[in-house]
């Protein structure tokens, strides 16, 4: 566990480098929104599966596994064709967003005087891929996750629980 003086030291670093603080806060926002979407994907699979053991089905599943399960379940006629199309569109956007998230979460941040980058392992050639890292991009990605989370919950509330669509929300294809 970090000691108080360690935390104080990091706060001082933020004071002398506000760009670092902005990046850290934006990264935290994005990660929180991604985790929220992943939570709602768990709920979606549980509602699709139903029954007392639905929780066991999703235990330990990561986002890609949840999206795969949703695709398989909705693809065999568990929901209407309209609902399956809507979910397929949302799932595609989720996959793109989670791939982008993984770059920031599983890479390392390299900071120099001019900019920040995130470095990730290139699995094909064993090298290192370098990507720019900007707080605004992280905030936009966090907002994308928040929107997707809202769409996913609206989808299962409407298609699985029978509730009307929320006034401020439309299906992803509209």
């Amino acid at each position: 566990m970090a000691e108080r003086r360690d935390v104080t030291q990091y706060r001082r670093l933020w004071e002398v480098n506000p760009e670092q603080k902005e990046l850290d806060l934006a990264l935290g926002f994005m990660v929180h929104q991604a985790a929220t979407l992943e939570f709602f994907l768990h709920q979606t699979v549980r509602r699709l599966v139903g029954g007392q053991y639905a929780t066991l089905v999703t235990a330990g599943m990561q986002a890609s596994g949840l999206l795969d399960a949703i695709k398989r379940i909705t693809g065999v006629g568990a929901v209407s064709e309209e609902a399956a199309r809507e979910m397929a569109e949302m799932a595609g956007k989720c996959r793109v967003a989670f791939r982008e998230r993984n770059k920031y979460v599983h890479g390392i941040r390299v900071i120099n005087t001019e900019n920040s980058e995130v470095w990730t392992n290139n699995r094909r050639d064993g090298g290192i891929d370098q990507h720019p890292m900007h707080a605004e991009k992280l905030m936009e990605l966090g907002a994308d996750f928040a929107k997707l989370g809202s769409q996913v919950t609206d989808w299962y509330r409407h298609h699985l629980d029978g509730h009307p669509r929320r006034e401020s929300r439309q299906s992803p294809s509209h």
Side-chain angles (χ1 to χ4, degrees), residues 89-109:
E89 185 178 331
M90 283 186 289
K93 292 176 183 177
C94 289
R95 287 183 194 280
V96 169
F98 279 114
R99 272 194 301 274
E100 189 72 9
R101 176 212 56 181
N102 288 347
K103 177 171 60 177
Y104 296 110
V105 172
H106 298 293
I108 62 164
R109 184 167 37 186

Side-chain angles (χ1 to χ4, degrees), residues 4-18:
R4 180 94 178 125
R5 67 178 180 203
D6 296 331
V7 173
T8 302
Q9 182 179 357
Y10 282 110
R11 284 196 172 122
R12 284 192 188 120
L13 286 173
W14 278 353
E15 290 172 11
V16 296
N17 190 350

